[in-house]
Amino acid sequence: MNDFLAHYGPFLLSGFGMTVLCWLLGTIGGMALGLAIALIQRHSIAPVRWVLRAYIEAIRGTPFLAQLFLLYYGGPMFGLRLDPVPAGLLGLSVYSSPYFAEIFRSAFGSVPVGQIEAARAIGMSEFSIVRRILLPLGLVSALPAMVNFSIVLTKETVILSIVTVPELMYQVQRMSAETFRYVEANLALALFFWGLVELISRLGRRFETRITKHLIERT
Amino acid sequence: MVRASSVEIRKVNKFYGPFHALKDIDMSIEPGKVTCLIGPSGSGKSTLLRCVNFLEEYNSGEILIDGELIGYETAGGKKMSSRRLREMRRTIGMVFQQFNLWPHMTALQNVAEGLIRVRGMARAEAETRAADALEKVGLGDRMGNHPSRLSGGQQQRVAIARAIAMEPRLMLFDEPTSALDPELVGEVLTVMKALAAEGMTMVVVTHEMGFAAHVADQVAFMEQGELVAVDAPANILHHPEDPRIQSFLRTYHERNSF
């Protein structure tokens, strides 16, 4: 057992590191893309909104596995040749963007119209209103859903193993194939993920408490 | 004395789909005068008020602020540019029933925000002015508080400070005391009376008949999208001729007597 850990431990750790990296960058990419989509949807003409709506439905309606296959193996047919890690990051960003877009859309919708009107009434520009009122208030109300979906995404990273990104699942599969110790390998995988998720949710809650402190009515 | 605007409302109509919300409204408001809009709920008072700063679009007619058409380039023509509309709104302050303070900013930041973003002031200067405005509404000691730490009356006074800091020439009040507990109404009305005494042009949608009787220069009664009468407060509130006004006031008195 000790030999086993000594040999595979470093691989598992480096796999875990890659998992965290892919999750972090993919989530940030997805949030940025989702935010852009939600803002454009809010401030653009109908045809643009229809295109974005179609994008959201198409990405949400298809499995991440299929999207990643198409991107990595189908991409070269359209001149998009990506290494595994960039393909994985792009895939994860695109896959998560519609979910984030929907989270932001509903969060922006929850900002009271009156607070936007108050800004209009004193002559603030739409740009200032977005930056100073809509974003700060919208992001605060979006936070719980953002944290929640980020947690869902940690586990989606295992799919990156099919395009040979050397993340945790990839290492676990290699270890399983070489040693037939499927149970131990997958137990390690489960524990790593659980730890990561626990950390994210704790940080998320702490952050949430901090930024909503002054928003809560004292009764 | 403040520089005060005039408001001229001519044949204004507003539709929500098939619903005729404002019917050929005509009204003149002279600089420095206080006009109270009264009437049953759903009569179009708030809609009319919101048309004056074009938060609500009217469909025909004209609304002139100091002789200048708001919302459209020409009467019945195309809409004015958003830049031009913003410029006109700078001189029109508005106070809402629900206060609509920005909850993520302190009282001081709420008041300074417009000065910084709209008037382009440096933060320090804006905050000095904002502090003066808050002082004026009696909240000099609550500047660092977020809205969630203020009572309704205090929040509404911050909202008034936010509007007057911009040095408006016209103030619109949309039921400013309707969301307040009865014991907090007085402090807001006091601030509004002081503003009126300074010579600010004010249009106030209200159910406070006492305020209308004592502070208004003219009272307008609306019902079902129509302007039934505009007259001196006494003629509307004490000796109304129109049966619709009589019936409205009877209901009002019944509800307020015990």
Side-chain angles (χ1 to χ4, degrees), chain A residues 39-58:
Chain A
L39 285 175
I40 295 170
Q41 271 183 322
R42 208 183 150 87
H43 293 274
S44 64
I45 49 169
V48 177
R49 288 203 302 272
W50 297 333
V51 170
L52 291 174
R53 198 69 236 165
Y55 168 88
I56 288 175
E57 296 306 335

Side-chain angles (χ1 to χ4, degrees), chain B residues 120-169:
Chain B
M121 266 181 211
R123 179 169 298 279
E125 190 191 353
E127 290 188 347
T128 309
R129 283 246 210 157
D132 289 345
L134 284 166
E135 209 71 66
K136 203 168 159 185
V137 298
L139 288 172
D141 55 338
R142 308 308 295 269
M143 292 192 270
N145 286 84
H146 281 90
S148 59
R149 298 285 182 269
L150 299 172
S151 72
Q154 290 169 334
Q155 289 189 53
Q156 193 61 299
R157 284 187 282 151
V158 173
I160 294 174
R162 174 171 68 180
I164 61 176
M166 301 289 289
E167 297 176 323
R169 293 177 218 148

